[in-house]
Amino acid sequence: MSTVAQKKGFLAVLWDYLTTVDHKKIAILYLTSGGFFFLVGGIEAMIIRIQLAVPDNNFVSAGLYNELLTMHGTTMIFLAAMPLLFGFMNAIVPLQIGARDVAFPFLNSLGFWLFFFGGVFLNLSWFLGGAPDAGWTSYASLSIASEGHGIDFYVLGLQISGAGTLISGINFLVTIINMRAPGMTYMRMPLFTWSTFVASALILFAFPPLTVGLFLMMFDRMFGANFFDASMGGNTIIWEHLFWIFGHPEVYILILPAFGIFSEIFATFSRKRLFGYAAMVFATVLIGFLGFMVWAHHMFTVGLGPTANAIFAVATMAIAVPTGVKIFNWMLTMWGGSISFTTPMLYAVAFIPSFTAGGVTGVMLASAAADYQYHDTYFVVAHFHYVIIGGVVLGLLAGTHFYWPKMFGTMLNEFLGKITFWLFLIGFHATFFIQHFLGLMGMPRRIWKFLPGQGLDMPNLISTVGAFFMAVAVIVLLVNIVITQVKNVRVGNDPWGDGRTLEWAIPSPPPFYNFKQLPLVRGLDPYWIEKMEGNTKMTPAEPLSDIHMPNNSFIPFVMSLGLFIAAFGAMYQVSWRASEGESFVWALPVLIIGMLITIGAMAVRSLKDDHGYHIHKEDLLDDEEGGRE
Amino acid sequence: MDTQEKFTSRTWPESPEKTTLEGKNKFLGFWLFLGGETVLFASLFATYLALKDKVPGSDHYLAIDMYELPLVFIMTMLLLTSSLTSVYAMYHMKNYNFQKMKIWLVVTIGLGLAFLGFEIYEFYHYVHEYEHTFTSSAFGSAFYTLVGFHGAHVVVGLGWFILLLIRNTNRGLNLYNAPKFFVASLYWHFIDVVWVFIFTVVYLMGMVG
Ligand code: HEM
Ligand SMILES: [Cu+2]
């Protein structure tokens, strides 16, 4: 490609990404924006740790601390971890099941843009009068009383991005049910596909309660309703229930796909079939199911009564059983395998003890009586960081190294990768292991400063030092990415050499139609089966014929933009300084204009036929080597 | 299969909504969406039950003082009938009888509009007779949110039918728009089912106290 063509290319590339409906490009969008929000959330975390490095510190003010804390949690869960997982799901799941795209390419793009605009909206709060400050759980008693527009940013931003998540969840469910290649039965699906499937089902049933909770909060704060105002008959506990009916499944929405990534990595680098495949599938489904039965373990101290607490305690402990099944299956996959300790494999091996530690503290917290001691202390902070970082984030980092070649056609540097791994692992345990003891010593969570001479100084300092290790690890990863992309050494179909599943049977990155001919799947780990029989390619399941492809569309972007604009209108039609004569006359018109943009875009979508186009088989033959563009 | 192919009533497939892959995907995706909607309404019902009759003072009217059976009974009948007429419409869609399908859809829309009219009257009545408003109490907020969400679904359903009819009036049926009509009618049934629950949980249970 000549430089002229490349230069002219920039705007074209931008436009291509703004309108793309290709799951592989949407994956890259998720990965970059999720990665960006991960850095933002990480910087917030570093400021928190600096403030808590020494007693009685004044690095940030109390109010700013609350905002940082809230935005850190909210950003990490909704805008970093989930989108990053969506990135891998988009990049890999259609390939793993042998599909040419997802079931609803248009909705896939809409899901991304909703998430993106919701996230941008939420973060604009920093520049428009202050961020939300009631914690990522935003309990109504706090958030109703919170002044300014911070909480409104939270409510509207999450509402918009939550709609995107719901859409993506439905899309993956239908994709996995309807778009599997010939021979890809349910019990031949790779574990990452299975866990995506279960996580998507959780999204489908867990996000609506959050949607309702956010609506109620929005009505209370912006339209004069009284759901959470006790003096008008309201009840703040309703928010807690709705939030946690969503919130606990949400933690499984995060961890299950990470489990899936690890399952692929264990099998690949042990060069063995995943041990106990059927049990793994069953455990995943069971965890997903039980995940809905345990939400009140976050509310043991609310006063629901001993019967409710006992039931929820037992249900919570029950989840440890299928989780334990998975842990043992991963270990038995390694048992007797021919293991190669690549970077992804290092993460996978380190994940087992780290995550198990988080599971053990989980069972401790689940003992309702004991939880009265642990609740709202740093013990809980240590618990959920062990499961979220030791599980989800290690999974994301492992996935980044593992799937990078498939997504970008280049291999991340293994040496730098291992440096990142060790720095991150050491930093992680240094930061959070000690927090268990801080909690047991009585340090409450969500506090801005602690006093000297209470035995909290040294542990807090250690924790902060650990955080810096993690920060350096992330910087090394970024350097690694830049070096890799600048060197741009292209790799082949199966760069790890031990790929087992369909994605490794096609070029890296795959051509935009993925499979020239849909592959015939003859068992679990189909590519491995072919390799064992001496084949280098999958056996095709169909003759070479025309391929139907969807058209690109700018409508998803416009639809999401409309809601983004409308959210400003909804927010500013109430004023916090009305008594001082402040009012925003433009707010209502903006709300209406925004909604009209969205509805108009929807109407265009439904009125204008879009039949897609066909790639003719002659063109496919020309293009023997595939590869993007 | 070509989505724009012209059919006759003989060549028209048995389940036109599920003949193409797009149709199949739409069909399944929409069922799943309705699953999510079910949880949404379940959350709203739970909220309503928790806040029913929760008012700030004894001068506020409660459910038992306000609800009137005849009115909601008429509304229920209107919506149930509209579900039936939409079934007729889909019956004719499956038989490739576009004209009859359109007629029954228009009837469905008419019944839906009548329902909406009664609902607006009902809200107006509560606001003016009983000072029962969205902001007057937690009960008011919960009532108008639950019933209003349902009402908003009715509006969306009607708008959807109308857009589909306008767009396709002169085009007849094909495998591209058949799934669209079918899915819209599924949505309409869902709205109807939710109303049956509102009728029972809000109004019937409200009148017993
Ligand atoms: C064996 C499995 C697990 C058990 C038994 C368990 C149990 C618990 C309990 C009882 C609490 C409430 C503690 C309190 O507030 O007093 C809690 C909090 C939490 N857990 Fe877990 N958990 C498990 C797995 C997970 C996983 C896999 C994740 C995420 C990937 C997770 C994320 C969280 C979070 C984010 C919180 C804190 C929420 C907050 O109050 O802000 N947990 N866990
Ligand atoms: Cu939980």
Side-chain angles (χ1 to χ4, degrees):
Chain A
M1 200 189 285
S2 74
T3 39
V4 185
Q6 258 174 353
K7 262 188 197 145
K8 219 172 88 187
F10 177 72
L11 276 186
V13 169
L14 182 69
W15 178 249
D16 187 35
Y17 273 91
L18 290 180
T19 58
T20 187
V21 293
D22 178 347
H23 70 97
K24 298 177 288 302
K25 289 187 179 158
I26 292 177
I28 292 175
L29 289 173
Y30 269 119
L31 214 61
T32 34
S33 34
F36 171 75
F37 285 124
F38 181 74
L39 295 181
V40 173
I43 291 169
E44 285 154 358
M46 293 315 292
I47 302 177
I48 294 175
R49 272 326 312 170
I50 292 172
Q51 165 65 20
L52 292 178
V54 289
D56 215 5
N57 199 359
N58 277 313
F59 184 66
V60 291
S61 70
L64 182 58
Y65 183 87
N66 286 347
E67 294 174 38
L68 285 164
L69 176 97
T70 303
M71 286 300 282
H72 162 69
T74 313
T75 303
M76 282 303 195
I77 299 264
F78 292 98
L79 308 180
M82 260 210 295
L84 287 170
L85 289 169
F86 274 138
F88 290 122
M89 293 177 185
N90 262 302
I92 304 301
V93 168
L95 305 181
Q96 281 196 331
I97 60 173
R100 295 223 166 85
D101 205 328
V102 292
F104 305 111
F106 177 90
L107 291 184
N108 202 13
S109 151
L110 180 61
F112 169 77
W113 288 111
L114 286 171
F115 141 69
F116 180 79
F117 277 108
V120 170
F121 184 81
L122 180 56
N123 274 281
L124 282 178
S125 61
W126 284 117
F127 309 103
L128 297 171
D133 57 359
W136 85 283
T137 53
S138 206
Y139 276 14
S141 23
L142 276 178
S143 52
I144 289 298
S146 168
E147 289 184 5
H149 286 294
I151 303 294
D152 305 337
F153 276 105
Y154 171 97
V155 168
L156 296 164
L158 289 192
Q159 194 70 289
I160 295 173
S161 74
T165 307
L166 186 67
I167 288 174
S168 309
I170 294 179
N171 190 6
F172 279 114
L173 283 173
V174 179
T175 304
I176 295 172
I177 295 175
N178 275 359
M179 311 278 285
R180 283 167 291 131
M184 178 58 81
T185 59
Y186 282 105
M187 289 311 272
R188 286 177 182 174
M189 291 190 327
L191 247 265
F192 182 50
T193 298
W194 257 113
S195 56
T196 298
F197 184 67
V198 175
S200 302
L202 294 189
I203 289 176
L204 176 62
F205 296 114
F207 266 73
L210 176 70
T211 307
V212 169
L214 291 172
F215 264 122
L216 305 188
M217 181 81 79
M218 170 173 133
F219 290 160
D220 262 24
R221 284 187 57 100
M222 288 164 244
F223 299 95
N226 302 301
F227 291 101
F228 307 124
D229 182 348
S231 68
M232 297 295 278
N235 183 345
T236 61
I237 304 298
I238 292 174
W239 167 268
E240 292 187 30
H241 279 296
L242 290 173
F243 186 86
W244 286 118
I245 290 174
F246 147 77
H248 191 84
E250 166 69 14
V251 306
Y252 286 100
I253 293 167
L254 296 175
I255 197 66
L256 288 178
F259 283 177
I261 293 176
F262 283 129
S263 299
E264 306 293 336
I265 291 175
F266 278 120
T268 305
F269 295 111
S270 305
R271 300 193 183 86
K272 259 181 77 188
R273 202 188 127 131
L274 188 70
F275 185 89
Y277 172 84
M280 287 299 244
V281 170
F282 183 70
T284 308
V285 176
L286 191 63
I287 291 176
F289 179 74
L290 286 176
F292 279 100
M293 311 289 168
V294 299
W295 79 88
H297 66 213
H298 296 274
M299 300 167 65
F300 282 148
T301 59
V302 162
L304 302 176
T307 317
N309 277 5
I311 291 172
F312 280 100
V314 173
T316 304
M317 291 177 193
I319 297 200
V321 176
T323 314
V325 168
K326 298 192 74 111
I327 299 273
F328 282 106
N329 280 340
W330 286 316
M331 294 198 291
L332 289 168
T333 303
M334 287 189 286
W335 184 272
S338 133
I339 300 177
S340 53
F341 283 99
T342 58
T343 309
M345 189 60 172
L346 285 179
Y347 280 109
V349 173
F351 147 80
I352 289 187
S354 308
F355 183 81
T356 306
V360 169
T361 52
V363 176
M364 289 172 71
L365 291 165
S367 325
D371 186 57
Y372 275 74
Q373 283 298 318
Y374 309 136
H375 185 63
D376 262 347
T377 69
Y378 262 80
F379 192 82
V380 173
V381 179
H383 157 69
F384 67 73
H385 283 97
Y386 260 80
V387 278
I388 290 187
I389 300 187
V392 183
V393 177
L394 290 189
L396 288 168
L397 292 171
T400 305
H401 285 272
F402 188 51
Y403 289 124
W404 191 271
K406 191 45 65 186
M407 293 180 71
F408 297 97
T410 54
M411 224 24 185
L412 287 176
N413 182 299
E414 278 285 287
F415 180 70
L416 289 178
K418 287 177 183 169
I419 293 187
T420 302
F421 165 76
W422 284 110
L423 286 177
F424 196 86
L425 189 75
I426 293 169
F428 157 60
H429 284 284
T431 309
F432 294 107
F433 189 70
I434 201 110
Q435 291 187 0
H436 292 108
F437 299 99
L438 281 173
L440 294 177
M441 285 191 282
M443 179 165 160
R445 70 189 275 209
R446 294 177 172 160
I447 50 154
W448 161 54
K449 58 165 76 169
F450 59 95
L451 295 177
Q454 300 179 332
L456 305 176
D457 307 15
M458 197 54 184
N460 270 300
L461 185 61
I462 294 175
S463 190
T464 300
V465 172
F468 275 95
F469 273 76
M470 283 193 276
V472 175
V474 172
I475 292 171
V476 174
L477 175 63
L478 293 178
V479 171
N480 193 353
I481 289 175
V482 172
I483 293 180
T484 304
Q485 292 314 93
V486 170
K487 277 197 191 152
N488 201 18
V489 184
R490 311 306 294 179
V491 296
N493 293 4
D494 185 13
W496 296 105
D498 293 310
R500 310 178 72 81
T501 39
L502 286 178
E503 72 270 31
W504 306 109
I506 53 174
S508 316
F512 64 101
Y513 46 79
N514 295 355
F515 297 92
K516 199 181 297 179
Q517 289 162 286
L518 291 183
L520 180 67
V521 176
R522 296 191 293 148
L524 184 65
D525 295 339
Y527 186 41
W528 187 261
I529 292 179
E530 301 290 337
K531 281 201 253 182
M532 288 300 107
E533 295 183 1
N535 304 333
T536 50
K537 286 196 161 128
M538 295 300 299
T539 316
E542 55 172 18
L544 198 60
S545 51
D546 292 2
I547 296 179
H548 180 244
M549 295 299 291
N551 289 324
N552 279 8
S553 173
F554 192 47
I555 296 177
F557 184 92
V558 179
M559 269 189 204
S560 314
L561 180 70
L563 287 181
F564 176 77
I565 294 172
F568 281 103
M571 187 164 72
Y572 283 110
Q573 42 95 26
V574 272
S575 162
W576 281 92
R577 283 184 221 88
S579 54
E580 295 159 32
E582 184 195 68
S583 80
F584 301 100
V585 279
W586 48 267
L588 202 58
V590 166
L591 172 61
I592 294 169
I593 291 171
M595 289 313 291
L596 285 180
I597 293 177
T598 298
I599 294 172
M602 285 165 79
V604 172
R605 166 72 183 165
S606 75
L607 294 183
K608 216 174 113 236
D609 285 4
D610 185 351
H611 297 288
Y613 66 99
H614 283 88
I615 321 171
H616 294 290
K617 65 172 173 221
E618 295 74 22
D619 302 333
L620 285 171
L621 283 172
D622 290 351
D623 177 37
E624 187 58 74
E625 278 317 300
R628 195 181 309 154
E629 259 90 75
Chain B
M1 187 162 310
D2 186 5
T3 48
Q4 293 148 89
E5 188 183 332
K6 282 274 169 250
F7 284 90
T8 67
S9 54
R10 274 163 179 273
T11 57
W12 188 237
E14 183 125 1
S15 301
E17 74 279 5
K18 285 186 289 189
T19 304
T20 61
L21 178 64
E22 286 76 16
K24 254 189 229 142
N25 286 346
K26 200 169 260 182
F27 181 77
L28 177 65
F30 201 78
W31 266 108
L32 293 171
F33 170 72
L34 291 182
E37 286 259 86
T38 307
V39 183
L40 183 116
F41 275 102
S43 307
L44 288 171
F45 274 107
T47 307
Y48 172 80
L49 286 177
L51 295 178
K52 175 173 173 250
D53 290 344
K54 294 287 189 302
V55 290
S58 53
D59 52 334
H60 283 254
Y61 290 96
L62 303 181
I64 199 163
D65 310 317
M66 291 186 295
Y67 299 155
E68 284 163 27
L69 198 52
L71 180 71
V72 284
F73 182 74
I74 296 175
M75 289 165 72
T76 308
M77 282 305 130
L78 284 171
L79 214 55
L80 284 181
T81 319
S82 80
S83 228
L84 183 69
T85 55
S86 79
V87 172
Y88 285 151
M90 285 312 108
Y91 171 79
H92 291 300
M93 188 272 277
K94 292 202 172 189
N95 285 334
Y96 202 66
N97 192 334
F98 189 56
Q99 287 314 322
K100 285 207 173 135
M101 182 194 91
K102 278 200 290 192
I103 293 172
W104 282 111
L105 278 186
V106 170
V107 176
T108 307
I109 293 170
L111 290 166
L113 284 173
F115 171 88
L116 263 190
F118 276 100
E119 183 148 85
I120 292 168
Y121 164 77
E122 185 204 3
F123 285 3
Y124 180 86
H125 182 67
Y126 293 156
V127 169
H128 289 269
E129 294 288 308
Y130 301 109
E131 284 163 20
H132 178 63
T133 70
F134 187 62
T135 56
S136 66
S137 65
F139 174 39
S141 306
F143 171 81
Y144 287 105
T145 301
L146 171 59
V147 183
F149 256 74
H150 176 267
H153 276 71
V154 173
V155 174
V156 171
L158 289 175
W160 193 354
F161 275 143
I162 292 171
L163 267 183
L164 277 178
L165 279 181
I166 294 176
R167 177 68 186 97
N168 293 297
T169 317
N170 299 320
R171 298 208 301 178
L173 283 166
N174 57 38
L175 291 181
Y176 182 71
N177 60 23
K180 296 191 176 208
F181 281 110
F182 191 84
V183 162
S185 85
L186 270 185
Y187 187 70
W188 194 252
H189 288 311
F190 175 77
I191 293 172
D192 197 33
V193 172
V194 172
W195 178 260
V196 172
F197 279 93
I198 293 185
F199 179 66
T200 319
V201 173
V202 176
Y203 295 105
L204 289 186
M205 281 167 61
M207 269 171 284
V208 250

